[in-house]
Amino acid sequence: MAKLILHTEANLDAITERRLQENFSLSPKERMKKAYLLMAISAKLKNGVLKEPQGLGVILKKRK
């Protein structure tokens, strides 16, 4: 479930460090799941493709 974190200080370095630590505490499977969730949210907000393809690249597919 999502959580809302309200930062009381404007220390960007501390916020960035906390986010990195939280991300690295997740398992690789959980990190990929979170990445796919963020991509899905971005696509919904943009109402379409996130960016136009620029050439050949890596294609990630989620197994069902």
Side-chain angles (χ1 to χ4, degrees):
M1 176 167 223
K3 60 182 174 180
L4 176 64
I5 300 173
L6 300 175
H7 299 283
T8 56
E9 298 177 17
N11 185 351
L12 294 179
D13 292 332
I15 293 170
T16 303
E17 183 66 27
R18 179 177 175 176
R19 286 180 180 165
L20 284 172
Q21 291 300 323
E22 288 178 359
N23 192 33
F24 287 132
S25 69
L26 299 174
S27 70
K29 186 176 182 178
E30 290 172 323
R31 281 197 297 258
M32 287 301 292
K33 196 174 191 179
K34 186 176 177 181
Y36 277 113
L37 178 63
L38 291 173
M39 285 185 266
I41 291 170
S42 295
K44 285 182 182 178
L45 291 174
K46 189 171 179 196
N47 293 326
V49 178
L50 293 179
K51 76 175 203 179
E52 294 299 319
Q54 298 176 351
L56 298 178
V58 177
I59 299 174
L60 300 175
K61 280 188 168 183
K62 184 177 178 181
R63 283 195 247 172
K64 293 183 180 183

CSV table of all heavy atoms in Angstrom, one decimal:
chain,number,residue,atom,x,y,z
A,1,MET,N,0.8,-1.2,0.0
A,1,MET,CA,0.0,0.0,0.0
A,1,MET,C,0.9,1.2,0.0
A,1,MET,O,1.9,1.3,0.6
A,1,MET,CB,-0.9,0.0,1.2
A,1,MET,CG,-1.7,1.2,1.4
A,1,MET,SD,-3.0,0.9,2.6
A,1,MET,CE,-4.4,1.7,1.7
A,2,ALA,N,0.4,2.3,-0.7
A,2,ALA,CA,1.2,3.5,-0.7
A,2,ALA,C,1.2,4.2,0.6
A,2,ALA,O,0.3,4.1,1.4
A,2,ALA,CB,0.6,4.4,-1.8
A,3,LYS,N,2.2,5.0,0.8
A,3,LYS,CA,2.3,5.8,2.0
A,3,LYS,C,2.7,7.2,1.7
A,3,LYS,O,3.4,7.5,0.7
A,3,LYS,CB,3.2,5.2,3.1
A,3,LYS,CG,4.7,5.1,2.6
A,3,LYS,CD,5.5,4.4,3.6
A,3,LYS,CE,6.9,4.2,3.1
A,3,LYS,NZ,7.8,3.6,4.1
A,4,LEU,N,2.1,8.2,2.5
A,4,LEU,CA,2.4,9.6,2.3
A,4,LEU,C,3.4,10.0,3.3
A,4,LEU,O,3.2,9.8,4.5
A,4,LEU,CB,1.1,10.4,2.4
A,4,LEU,CG,1.3,11.9,2.3
A,4,LEU,CD1,1.7,12.3,0.9
A,4,LEU,CD2,-0.1,12.5,2.6
A,5,ILE,N,4.5,10.6,2.8
A,5,ILE,CA,5.6,11.0,3.8
A,5,ILE,C,5.7,12.5,3.6
A,5,ILE,O,5.9,13.1,2.5
A,5,ILE,CB,6.9,10.4,3.4
A,5,ILE,CG1,6.9,8.9,3.5
A,5,ILE,CG2,8.0,11.0,4.3
A,5,ILE,CD1,8.1,8.2,3.0
A,6,LEU,N,5.4,13.2,4.7
A,6,LEU,CA,5.5,14.7,4.7
A,6,LEU,C,6.9,15.0,5.4
A,6,LEU,O,7.2,14.7,6.5
A,6,LEU,CB,4.4,15.3,5.6
A,6,LEU,CG,3.0,15.0,5.0
A,6,LEU,CD1,2.0,15.5,6.0
A,6,LEU,CD2,2.8,15.5,3.7
A,7,HIS,N,7.7,15.7,4.6
A,7,HIS,CA,9.0,16.1,5.1
A,7,HIS,C,8.9,17.5,5.8
A,7,HIS,O,8.4,18.4,5.2
A,7,HIS,CB,10.0,16.2,3.9
A,7,HIS,CG,10.2,14.9,3.3
A,7,HIS,ND1,11.0,13.9,3.8
A,7,HIS,CD2,9.7,14.4,2.1
A,7,HIS,CE1,11.0,12.8,3.0
A,7,HIS,NE2,10.2,13.1,2.0
A,8,THR,N,9.5,17.6,7.0
A,8,THR,CA,9.4,18.8,7.7
A,8,THR,C,10.6,19.7,7.4
A,8,THR,O,10.5,20.9,7.7
A,8,THR,CB,9.3,18.5,9.2
A,8,THR,OG1,10.5,17.7,9.6
A,8,THR,CG2,8.0,17.8,9.6
A,9,GLU,N,11.6,19.2,6.8
A,9,GLU,CA,12.8,20.0,6.5
A,9,GLU,C,13.0,19.9,5.0
A,9,GLU,O,12.6,19.0,4.3
A,9,GLU,CB,14.0,19.4,7.2
A,9,GLU,CG,14.0,19.5,8.7
A,9,GLU,CD,15.2,18.8,9.3
A,9,GLU,OE1,16.2,18.7,8.6
A,9,GLU,OE2,15.1,18.5,10.5
A,10,ALA,N,13.6,21.0,4.5
A,10,ALA,CA,13.9,21.1,3.0
A,10,ALA,C,15.3,20.6,2.7
A,10,ALA,O,15.9,21.1,1.8
A,10,ALA,CB,13.6,22.5,2.5
A,11,ASN,N,15.8,19.6,3.4
A,11,ASN,CA,17.1,19.1,3.2
A,11,ASN,C,17.0,18.0,2.1
A,11,ASN,O,16.7,16.8,2.3
A,11,ASN,CB,17.7,18.5,4.4
A,11,ASN,CG,19.1,18.0,4.3
A,11,ASN,OD1,19.6,18.0,3.2
A,11,ASN,ND2,19.7,17.7,5.4
A,12,LEU,N,17.3,18.4,0.8
A,12,LEU,CA,17.1,17.5,-0.3
A,12,LEU,C,18.1,16.3,-0.3
A,12,LEU,O,17.8,15.2,-0.7
A,12,LEU,CB,17.3,18.3,-1.6
A,12,LEU,CG,16.3,19.3,-1.9
A,12,LEU,CD1,16.6,20.0,-3.2
A,12,LEU,CD2,14.9,18.7,-2.0
A,13,ASP,N,19.3,16.5,0.3
A,13,ASP,CA,20.3,15.4,0.4
A,13,ASP,C,19.8,14.3,1.3
A,13,ASP,O,19.9,13.1,1.0
A,13,ASP,CB,21.6,15.9,0.9
A,13,ASP,CG,22.3,16.8,-0.2
A,13,ASP,OD1,22.0,16.6,-1.4
A,13,ASP,OD2,23.1,17.7,0.2
A,14,ALA,N,19.2,14.7,2.4
A,14,ALA,CA,18.6,13.7,3.4
A,14,ALA,C,17.4,13.0,2.8
A,14,ALA,O,17.3,11.8,3.0
A,14,ALA,CB,18.2,14.5,4.7
A,15,ILE,N,16.6,13.7,2.1
A,15,ILE,CA,15.4,13.1,1.4
A,15,ILE,C,15.9,12.1,0.4
A,15,ILE,O,15.4,10.9,0.3
A,15,ILE,CB,14.5,14.1,0.8
A,15,ILE,CG1,13.9,15.0,1.9
A,15,ILE,CG2,13.4,13.5,0.0
A,15,ILE,CD1,13.2,16.2,1.4
A,16,THR,N,16.9,12.4,-0.4
A,16,THR,CA,17.4,11.6,-1.5
A,16,THR,C,18.0,10.3,-0.8
A,16,THR,O,17.8,9.2,-1.3
A,16,THR,CB,18.4,12.3,-2.3
A,16,THR,OG1,17.8,13.4,-2.9
A,16,THR,CG2,19.0,11.4,-3.4
A,17,GLU,N,18.8,10.5,0.2
A,17,GLU,CA,19.4,9.4,0.9
A,17,GLU,C,18.4,8.4,1.5
A,17,GLU,O,18.5,7.2,1.4
A,17,GLU,CB,20.4,9.9,2.0
A,17,GLU,CG,21.1,8.8,2.7
A,17,GLU,CD,22.1,8.1,1.9
A,17,GLU,OE1,22.6,8.7,0.9
A,17,GLU,OE2,22.4,7.0,2.1
A,18,ARG,N,17.3,9.0,2.1
A,18,ARG,CA,16.3,8.1,2.6
A,18,ARG,C,15.6,7.3,1.6
A,18,ARG,O,15.3,6.1,1.7
A,18,ARG,CB,15.3,9.0,3.4
A,18,ARG,CG,14.2,8.2,4.0
A,18,ARG,CD,13.2,9.0,4.8
A,18,ARG,NE,12.1,8.2,5.2
A,18,ARG,CZ,11.1,8.6,6.0
A,18,ARG,NH1,11.1,9.8,6.4
A,18,ARG,NH2,10.1,7.8,6.3
A,19,ARG,N,15.3,7.9,0.4
A,19,ARG,CA,14.7,7.2,-0.7
A,19,ARG,C,15.6,6.1,-1.2
A,19,ARG,O,15.1,5.0,-1.5
A,19,ARG,CB,14.3,8.2,-1.8
A,19,ARG,CG,13.2,9.1,-1.5
A,19,ARG,CD,12.9,10.0,-2.7
A,19,ARG,NE,11.8,10.9,-2.4
A,19,ARG,CZ,11.5,12.0,-3.0
A,19,ARG,NH1,12.2,12.3,-4.1
A,19,ARG,NH2,10.4,12.7,-2.7
A,20,LEU,N,16.9,6.4,-1.3
A,20,LEU,CA,17.8,5.3,-1.8
A,20,LEU,C,17.8,4.2,-0.8
A,20,LEU,O,17.8,3.0,-1.2
A,20,LEU,CB,19.2,5.9,-2.0
A,20,LEU,CG,19.4,6.8,-3.2
A,20,LEU,CD1,20.8,7.4,-3.2
A,20,LEU,CD2,19.3,5.9,-4.5
A,21,GLN,N,17.9,4.5,0.5
A,21,GLN,CA,18.0,3.4,1.5
A,21,GLN,C,16.7,2.6,1.5
A,21,GLN,O,16.8,1.3,1.6
A,21,GLN,CB,18.2,4.0,2.9
A,21,GLN,CG,19.5,4.6,3.1
A,21,GLN,CD,20.7,3.6,2.9
A,21,GLN,OE1,20.5,2.4,3.2
A,21,GLN,NE2,21.7,4.0,2.3
A,22,GLU,N,15.5,3.2,1.3
A,22,GLU,CA,14.3,2.5,1.3
A,22,GLU,C,14.2,1.6,0.0
A,22,GLU,O,13.7,0.5,0.1
A,22,GLU,CB,13.1,3.4,1.3
A,22,GLU,CG,12.9,4.0,2.7
A,22,GLU,CD,11.7,5.0,2.7
A,22,GLU,OE1,11.1,5.2,1.6
A,22,GLU,OE2,11.5,5.6,3.7
A,23,ASN,N,14.7,2.1,-1.1
A,23,ASN,CA,14.7,1.4,-2.4
A,23,ASN,C,15.6,0.1,-2.3
A,23,ASN,O,15.3,-1.0,-2.7
A,23,ASN,CB,15.1,2.2,-3.5
A,23,ASN,CG,14.8,1.6,-4.9
A,23,ASN,OD1,13.9,0.8,-5.0
A,23,ASN,ND2,15.7,1.9,-5.8
A,24,PHE,N,16.8,0.3,-1.7
A,24,PHE,CA,17.8,-0.8,-1.6
A,24,PHE,C,17.4,-1.8,-0.6
A,24,PHE,O,17.9,-2.9,-0.6
A,24,PHE,CB,19.2,-0.3,-1.3
A,24,PHE,CG,19.8,0.4,-2.5
A,24,PHE,CD1,20.4,1.6,-2.4
A,24,PHE,CD2,19.8,-0.2,-3.8
A,24,PHE,CE1,21.0,2.2,-3.5
A,24,PHE,CE2,20.4,0.4,-4.9
A,24,PHE,CZ,21.0,1.6,-4.7
A,25,SER,N,16.5,-1.5,0.3
A,25,SER,CA,16.0,-2.4,1.3
A,25,SER,C,15.0,-3.4,0.7
A,25,SER,O,14.7,-4.5,1.3
A,25,SER,CB,15.4,-1.7,2.5
A,25,SER,OG,14.2,-1.1,2.2
A,26,LEU,N,14.5,-3.1,-0.5
A,26,LEU,CA,13.5,-4.0,-1.2
A,26,LEU,C,14.3,-5.1,-1.9
A,26,LEU,O,15.5,-4.9,-2.3
A,26,LEU,CB,12.7,-3.2,-2.2
A,26,LEU,CG,11.8,-2.1,-1.6
A,26,LEU,CD1,11.2,-1.3,-2.8
A,26,LEU,CD2,10.8,-2.6,-0.7
A,27,SER,N,13.6,-6.2,-2.1
A,27,SER,CA,14.2,-7.3,-2.9
A,27,SER,C,14.2,-6.9,-4.4
A,27,SER,O,13.4,-6.0,-4.8
A,27,SER,CB,13.4,-8.6,-2.7
A,27,SER,OG,12.2,-8.5,-3.3
A,28,PRO,N,15.0,-7.5,-5.2
A,28,PRO,CA,15.0,-7.2,-6.6
A,28,PRO,C,13.6,-7.3,-7.3
A,28,PRO,O,13.2,-6.5,-8.1
A,28,PRO,CB,16.0,-8.1,-7.2
A,28,PRO,CG,17.0,-8.5,-6.1
A,28,PRO,CD,16.1,-8.4,-4.9
A,29,LYS,N,12.9,-8.3,-6.9
A,29,LYS,CA,11.6,-8.6,-7.4
A,29,LYS,C,10.6,-7.4,-7.0
A,29,LYS,O,9.9,-6.9,-7.8
A,29,LYS,CB,11.0,-9.9,-6.9
A,29,LYS,CG,9.7,-10.3,-7.5
A,29,LYS,CD,9.2,-11.6,-7.0
A,29,LYS,CE,7.9,-12.0,-7.6
A,29,LYS,NZ,7.5,-13.4,-7.2
A,30,GLU,N,10.7,-6.9,-5.8
A,30,GLU,CA,9.9,-5.8,-5.3
A,30,GLU,C,10.3,-4.5,-6.0
A,30,GLU,O,9.4,-3.7,-6.3
A,30,GLU,CB,10.0,-5.7,-3.8
A,30,GLU,CG,9.4,-6.8,-3.0
A,30,GLU,CD,9.7,-6.7,-1.5
A,30,GLU,OE1,10.9,-6.3,-1.2
A,30,GLU,OE2,8.9,-7.0,-0.7
A,31,ARG,N,11.6,-4.3,-6.3
A,31,ARG,CA,12.0,-3.1,-7.0
A,31,ARG,C,11.5,-3.1,-8.4
A,31,ARG,O,11.0,-2.0,-8.9
A,31,ARG,CB,13.5,-3.0,-7.0
A,31,ARG,CG,14.1,-2.5,-5.7
A,31,ARG,CD,15.5,-2.1,-5.8
A,31,ARG,NE,16.4,-3.1,-6.3
A,31,ARG,CZ,17.3,-3.7,-5.4
A,31,ARG,NH1,17.3,-3.4,-4.2
A,31,ARG,NH2,18.1,-4.6,-5.9
A,32,MET,N,11.5,-4.2,-9.1
A,32,MET,CA,10.9,-4.3,-10.4
A,32,MET,C,9.4,-4.1,-10.4
A,32,MET,O,8.9,-3.4,-11.3
A,32,MET,CB,11.3,-5.6,-11.1
A,32,MET,CG,12.7,-5.8,-11.5
A,32,MET,SD,13.2,-4.5,-12.7
A,32,MET,CE,12.3,-4.9,-14.1
A,33,LYS,N,8.8,-4.6,-9.5
A,33,LYS,CA,7.3,-4.5,-9.3
A,33,LYS,C,7.0,-3.0,-9.1
A,33,LYS,O,6.1,-2.4,-9.7
A,33,LYS,CB,6.8,-5.3,-8.1
A,33,LYS,CG,5.3,-5.5,-8.1
A,33,LYS,CD,5.0,-6.5,-6.9
A,33,LYS,CE,3.6,-6.9,-7.0
A,33,LYS,NZ,3.3,-7.9,-5.9
A,34,LYS,N,7.8,-2.3,-8.3
A,34,LYS,CA,7.6,-0.9,-8.0
A,34,LYS,C,7.8,-0.1,-9.3
A,34,LYS,O,7.1,0.9,-9.6
A,34,LYS,CB,8.5,-0.4,-6.9
A,34,LYS,CG,8.3,1.0,-6.4
A,34,LYS,CD,9.2,1.3,-5.3
A,34,LYS,CE,9.1,2.7,-4.8
A,34,LYS,NZ,10.0,3.0,-3.7
A,35,ALA,N,8.9,-0.4,-10.0
A,35,ALA,CA,9.2,0.3,-11.3
A,35,ALA,C,8.0,0.1,-12.3
A,35,ALA,O,7.6,1.1,-12.9
A,35,ALA,CB,10.5,-0.3,-11.9
A,36,TYR,N,7.5,-1.1,-12.4
A,36,TYR,CA,6.3,-1.3,-13.4
A,36,TYR,C,5.1,-0.5,-12.9
A,36,TYR,O,4.4,0.1,-13.7
A,36,TYR,CB,6.0,-2.7,-13.5
A,36,TYR,CG,6.8,-3.5,-14.5
A,36,TYR,CD1,7.7,-4.5,-14.0
A,36,TYR,CD2,6.8,-3.2,-15.8
A,36,TYR,CE1,8.5,-5.1,-15.0
A,36,TYR,CE2,7.5,-3.9,-16.7
A,36,TYR,CZ,8.4,-4.9,-16.3
A,36,TYR,OH,9.2,-5.5,-17.2
A,37,LEU,N,4.9,-0.4,-11.6
A,37,LEU,CA,3.8,0.4,-11.1
A,37,LEU,C,3.9,1.8,-11.4
A,37,LEU,O,3.0,2.5,-11.8
A,37,LEU,CB,3.7,0.1,-9.5
A,37,LEU,CG,2.6,0.9,-8.8
A,37,LEU,CD1,1.2,0.5,-9.4
A,37,LEU,CD2,2.6,0.7,-7.4
A,38,LEU,N,5.1,2.4,-11.2
A,38,LEU,CA,5.4,3.8,-11.5
A,38,LEU,C,5.3,4.1,-13.0
A,38,LEU,O,4.7,5.1,-13.3
A,38,LEU,CB,6.8,4.2,-11.0
A,38,LEU,CG,6.9,4.2,-9.5
A,38,LEU,CD1,8.4,4.5,-9.1
A,38,LEU,CD2,6.1,5.3,-8.8
A,39,MET,N,5.7,3.1,-13.8
A,39,MET,CA,5.5,3.3,-15.3
A,39,MET,C,4.0,3.3,-15.6
A,39,MET,O,3.6,4.1,-16.5
A,39,MET,CB,6.3,2.2,-16.0
A,39,MET,CG,7.8,2.4,-16.1
A,39,MET,SD,8.6,1.2,-17.1
A,39,MET,CE,9.0,0.0,-15.9
A,40,ALA,N,3.2,2.5,-15.0
A,40,ALA,CA,1.8,2.4,-15.3
A,40,ALA,C,1.1,3.7,-14.9
A,40,ALA,O,0.3,4.2,-15.6
A,40,ALA,CB,1.2,1.2,-14.6
A,41,ILE,N,1.5,4.2,-13.7
A,41,ILE,CA,0.9,5.5,-13.2
A,41,ILE,C,1.3,6.6,-14.2
A,41,ILE,O,0.5,7.5,-14.5
A,41,ILE,CB,1.4,5.8,-11.8
A,41,ILE,CG1,0.8,4.8,-10.8
A,41,ILE,CG2,1.1,7.2,-11.4
A,41,ILE,CD1,1.4,4.8,-9.4
A,42,SER,N,2.6,6.7,-14.6
A,42,SER,CA,3.0,7.7,-15.6
A,42,SER,C,2.2,7.6,-16.9
A,42,SER,O,1.8,8.7,-17.4
A,42,SER,CB,4.5,7.6,-15.9
A,42,SER,OG,5.2,7.8,-14.7
A,43,ALA,N,2.0,6.4,-17.4
A,43,ALA,CA,1.3,6.3,-18.6
A,43,ALA,C,-0.2,6.7,-18.5
A,43,ALA,O,-0.7,7.4,-19.4
A,43,ALA,CB,1.3,4.8,-19.1
A,44,LYS,N,-0.8,6.5,-17.3
A,44,LYS,CA,-2.2,6.9,-17.1
A,44,LYS,C,-2.3,8.4,-17.0
A,44,LYS,O,-3.2,9.0,-17.5
A,44,LYS,CB,-2.7,6.3,-15.8
A,44,LYS,CG,-3.1,4.8,-16.0
A,44,LYS,CD,-3.7,4.3,-14.7
A,44,LYS,CE,-4.0,2.8,-14.9
A,44,LYS,NZ,-4.5,2.2,-13.6
A,45,LEU,N,-1.3,9.0,-16.4
A,45,LEU,CA,-1.3,10.5,-16.2
A,45,LEU,C,-1.1,11.2,-17.6
A,45,LEU,O,-1.6,12.2,-17.9
A,45,LEU,CB,-0.2,10.9,-15.2
A,45,LEU,CG,-0.5,10.6,-13.8
A,45,LEU,CD1,0.7,11.0,-12.9
A,45,LEU,CD2,-1.8,11.3,-13.3
A,46,LYS,N,-0.3,10.5,-18.4
A,46,LYS,CA,0.0,11.1,-19.7
A,46,LYS,C,-1.0,10.8,-20.8
A,46,LYS,O,-1.1,11.4,-21.9
A,46,LYS,CB,1.4,10.7,-20.2
A,46,LYS,CG,1.9,11.4,-21.5
A,46,LYS,CD,3.3,11.2,-21.8
A,46,LYS,CE,3.6,12.0,-23.1
A,46,LYS,NZ,4.8,11.6,-23.7
A,47,ASN,N,-1.8,9.8,-20.5
A,47,ASN,CA,-2.9,9.3,-21.4
A,47,ASN,C,-2.3,8.7,-22.7
A,47,ASN,O,-2.7,9.1,-23.8
A,47,ASN,CB,-3.9,10.4,-21.8
A,47,ASN,CG,-4.7,10.7,-20.6
A,47,ASN,OD1,-5.0,9.9,-19.7
A,47,ASN,ND2,-5.1,12.0,-20.5
A,48,GLY,N,-1.2,7.9,-22.6
A,48,GLY,CA,-0.7,7.3,-23.8
A,48,GLY,C,0.8,6.9,-23.6
A,48,GLY,O,1.2,6.5,-22.5
A,49,VAL,N,1.5,6.8,-24.7
A,49,VAL,CA,2.9,6.3,-24.7
A,49,VAL,C,3.7,7.4,-24.0
A,49,VAL,O,3.6,8.6,-24.1
A,49,VAL,CB,3.4,6.1,-26.1
A,49,VAL,CG1,4.8,5.7,-26.1
A,49,VAL,CG2,2.5,5.1,-26.8
A,50,LEU,N,4.7,6.9,-23.1
A,50,LEU,CA,5.5,7.8,-22.4
A,50,LEU,C,6.5,8.6,-23.2
A,50,LEU,O,6.7,9.7,-23.0
A,50,LEU,CB,6.3,7.0,-21.3
A,50,LEU,CG,5.4,6.4,-20.2
A,50,LEU,CD1,6.3,5.7,-19.2
A,50,LEU,CD2,4.6,7.5,-19.5
A,51,LYS,N,7.1,7.9,-24.2
A,51,LYS,CA,8.0,8.6,-25.1
A,51,LYS,C,8.0,7.8,-26.4
A,51,LYS,O,7.8,6.6,-26.5
A,51,LYS,CB,9.4,8.8,-24.6
A,51,LYS,CG,10.3,7.6,-24.5
A,51,LYS,CD,11.6,8.0,-24.0
A,51,LYS,CE,12.7,7.0,-24.5
A,51,LYS,NZ,14.0,7.3,-24.1
A,52,GLU,N,8.4,8.5,-27.5
A,52,GLU,CA,8.5,7.9,-28.8
A,52,GLU,C,9.7,7.0,-28.9
A,52,GLU,O,10.8,7.5,-28.4
A,52,GLU,CB,8.5,9.0,-29.9
A,52,GLU,CG,7.2,9.7,-30.0
A,52,GLU,CD,6.0,8.9,-30.4
A,52,GLU,OE1,6.2,8.0,-31.2
A,52,GLU,OE2,4.9,9.1,-29.8
A,53,PRO,N,9.7,5.8,-29.5
A,53,PRO,CA,10.9,5.0,-29.6
A,53,PRO,C,11.9,5.7,-30.4
A,53,PRO,O,11.6,6.4,-31.4
A,53,PRO,CB,10.3,3.8,-30.4
A,53,PRO,CG,8.9,3.8,-30.2
A,53,PRO,CD,8.5,5.2,-30.0
A,54,GLN,N,13.2,5.6,-30.0
A,54,GLN,CA,14.3,6.3,-30.7
A,54,GLN,C,15.2,5.3,-31.4
A,54,GLN,O,16.1,5.6,-32.0
A,54,GLN,CB,15.1,7.0,-29.6
A,54,GLN,CG,14.4,8.1,-29.0
A,54,GLN,CD,15.2,8.8,-27.9
A,54,GLN,OE1,16.3,8.4,-27.6
A,54,GLN,NE2,14.7,9.9,-27.4
A,55,GLY,N,14.9,4.0,-31.3
A,55,GLY,CA,15.7,3.0,-32.0
A,55,GLY,C,15.6,1.7,-31.3
A,55,GLY,O,14.7,1.5,-30.5
A,56,LEU,N,16.5,0.8,-31.5
A,56,LEU,CA,16.5,-0.5,-30.9
A,56,LEU,C,16.9,-0.3,-29.4
A,56,LEU,O,17.7,0.5,-29.1
A,56,LEU,CB,17.4,-1.5,-31.6
A,56,LEU,CG,17.1,-1.8,-33.0
A,56,LEU,CD1,18.1,-2.7,-33.6
A,56,LEU,CD2,15.7,-2.5,-33.1
A,57,GLY,N,16.4,-1.2,-28.5
A,57,GLY,CA,16.7,-1.1,-27.1
A,57,GLY,C,16.3,-2.3,-26.4
A,57,GLY,O,15.9,-3.3,-27.0
A,58,VAL,N,16.3,-2.3,-25.1
A,58,VAL,CA,15.9,-3.4,-24.3
A,58,VAL,C,14.4,-3.3,-24.1
A,58,VAL,O,13.8,-2.2,-23.7
A,58,VAL,CB,16.6,-3.3,-22.9
A,58,VAL,CG1,16.1,-4.4,-22.0
A,58,VAL,CG2,18.1,-3.4,-23.1
A,59,ILE,N,13.7,-4.4,-24.2
A,59,ILE,CA,12.3,-4.5,-24.0
A,59,ILE,C,12.0,-5.4,-22.8
A,59,ILE,O,12.5,-6.5,-22.7
A,59,ILE,CB,11.6,-5.1,-25.2
A,59,ILE,CG1,11.8,-4.2,-26.4
A,59,ILE,CG2,10.1,-5.3,-25.0
A,59,ILE,CD1,11.3,-4.8,-27.7
A,60,LEU,N,11.3,-4.8,-21.8
A,60,LEU,CA,11.0,-5.5,-20.6
A,60,LEU,C,9.6,-5.9,-20.6
A,60,LEU,O,8.7,-5.1,-21.0
A,60,LEU,CB,11.2,-4.6,-19.3
A,60,LEU,CG,12.6,-4.1,-19.1
A,60,LEU,CD1,12.7,-3.2,-18.0
A,60,LEU,CD2,13.6,-5.3,-18.9
A,61,LYS,N,9.3,-7.2,-20.3
A,61,LYS,CA,7.9,-7.7,-20.3
A,61,LYS,C,7.7,-8.3,-18.9
A,61,LYS,O,8.6,-9.0,-18.4
A,61,LYS,CB,7.7,-8.8,-21.4
A,61,LYS,CG,7.5,-8.3,-22.8
A,61,LYS,CD,7.1,-9.4,-23.6
A,61,LYS,CE,6.6,-8.9,-25.0
A,61,LYS,NZ,6.1,-10.0,-25.8
A,62,LYS,N,6.5,-8.1,-18.5
A,62,LYS,CA,6.1,-8.7,-17.2
A,62,LYS,C,5.5,-10.1,-17.4
A,62,LYS,O,4.6,-10.2,-18.3
A,62,LYS,CB,5.1,-7.8,-16.5
A,62,LYS,CG,4.7,-8.3,-15.1
A,62,LYS,CD,3.8,-7.3,-14.5
A,62,LYS,CE,3.4,-7.8,-13.1
A,62,LYS,NZ,2.4,-6.8,-12.5
A,63,ARG,N,6.0,-11.1,-16.8
A,63,ARG,CA,5.4,-12.4,-16.9
A,63,ARG,C,4.2,-12.5,-16.1
A,63,ARG,O,4.1,-12.0,-15.1
A,63,ARG,CB,6.4,-13.5,-16.4
A,63,ARG,CG,7.5,-13.8,-17.3
A,63,ARG,CD,8.2,-15.0,-16.9
A,63,ARG,NE,9.5,-14.7,-16.5
A,63,ARG,CZ,10.4,-15.5,-15.9
A,63,ARG,NH1,10.0,-16.8,-15.7
A,63,ARG,NH2,11.6,-15.1,-15.6
A,64,LYS,N,3.2,-13.3,-16.7
A,64,LYS,CA,1.9,-13.4,-16.0
A,64,LYS,C,1.9,-14.7,-15.2
A,64,LYS,O,2.6,-15.6,-15.4
A,64,LYS,CB,0.8,-13.4,-17.0
A,64,LYS,CG,0.7,-12.0,-17.6
A,64,LYS,CD,-0.5,-11.9,-18.5
A,64,LYS,CE,-0.6,-10.5,-19.1
A,64,LYS,NZ,-1.7,-10.3,-19.9
